[in-house]
Amino acid sequence: EGYMDVLALQQAGYGNAVASLGTALTREQAQLLRRYTQRIIICYDSDPAGVKATLRAGAILTDVGLRVEVLRLTAAKDPDEYIKKFGREDFQKILKTTLTYIEFKYHTLLEELPVRTIPEKAEVIARISPDILKVTSPAEREGYERFLSLELGLSLEAVQREIAGVEEKKTKYR
């Protein structure tokens, strides 16, 4: 199935498309990819298994220092179907709508844990903090903190303190 997506993408002019073939992406493969690029766009199937695979692959790829973005297809289940249905030009347009891995993870968390209460907001921050703590760029990290602040209706300082608390626990129990 994944090889059909790669074939469709390559025929549409995306010569650097690769398939991880299932959820079997390994750290070694991620390190190999890092030799050739700094940025990866994950475009797995849009079903629950694809979302789970995206979260797993995103964690592995960010761990090796890659900039990871996610393309969510809503009008088709995979790139092959999308290109057949809408064509290369439309696919090129939706490539501009990628989310960062952290934004994707945030939206995925909200689907399984709708945020209605203040403790639930704190839980979302706690669950996404490990990913934000891996971000080495101070500007990018603050961007994610501001994103959470706006999305959750909390002050930037509160979000930063919550993330700092997760970092303290992490270093304390090492």
Side-chain angles (χ1 to χ4, degrees):
E1 170 113 353
Y3 63 91
M4 290 303 292
D5 294 327
V6 169
L7 215 59
L9 287 166
Q10 290 191 346
Q11 286 172 347
Y14 299 97
N16 54 359
V18 295
S20 61
L21 300 176
T23 57
L25 181 76
T26 66
R27 188 173 174 81
E28 291 72 28
Q29 289 168 325
Q31 288 168 331
L32 182 64
L33 285 169
R34 193 167 183 268
R35 286 191 210 160
Y36 299 98
T37 188
Q38 293 301 302
R39 179 176 168 243
I40 298 275
I41 298 174
I42 300 173
C43 185
Y44 287 151
D45 291 1
S46 55
D47 61 2
V51 170
K52 190 176 175 187
T54 299
L55 291 169
R56 185 182 173 282
I60 292 168
L61 293 164
T62 54
D63 275 351
V64 301
L66 285 160
R67 172 180 225 96
V68 180
E69 295 172 37
V70 179
L71 177 61
R72 286 189 92 166
L73 298 177
T74 50
K77 77 174 180 67
D78 58 36
D80 180 36
E81 185 182 296
Y82 192 95
I83 291 169
K84 282 180 180 155
K85 228 183 207 179
F86 304 104
R88 184 195 190 288
E89 292 75 25
D90 271 22
F91 189 78
Q92 186 67 38
K93 279 183 203 156
I94 65 158
L95 265 179
K96 292 178 175 72
T97 68
T98 59
L99 296 173
T100 65
Y101 171 68
I102 291 173
E103 290 169 317
F104 173 80
K105 186 171 182 177
Y106 170 80
H107 290 295
T108 304
L109 280 173
L110 283 203
E111 286 168 19
E112 69 181 56
L113 180 80
V115 179
R116 289 180 295 271
T117 67
I118 292 161
E120 287 170 340
K121 290 179 181 187
E123 174 65 18
V124 166
I125 296 169
R127 292 195 30 201
I128 209 153
S129 289
D131 300 287
I132 293 173
L133 290 168
K134 289 179 198 168
V135 175
T136 54
S137 159
E140 200 175 334
R141 185 186 277 199
E142 185 178 313
Y144 289 124
E145 293 165 347
R146 284 187 187 280
F147 167 77
L148 287 175
S149 164
L150 291 168
E151 285 285 322
L152 297 171
L154 298 168
S155 74
L156 176 61
E157 295 73 24
V159 170
Q160 289 171 328
R161 283 198 307 270
E162 193 74 36
I163 292 169
V166 170
E167 189 169 30
E168 279 172 34
K169 282 182 199 160
K170 202 173 90 176
T171 52
K172 196 185 277 185
Y173 299 111
R174 273 195 181 154

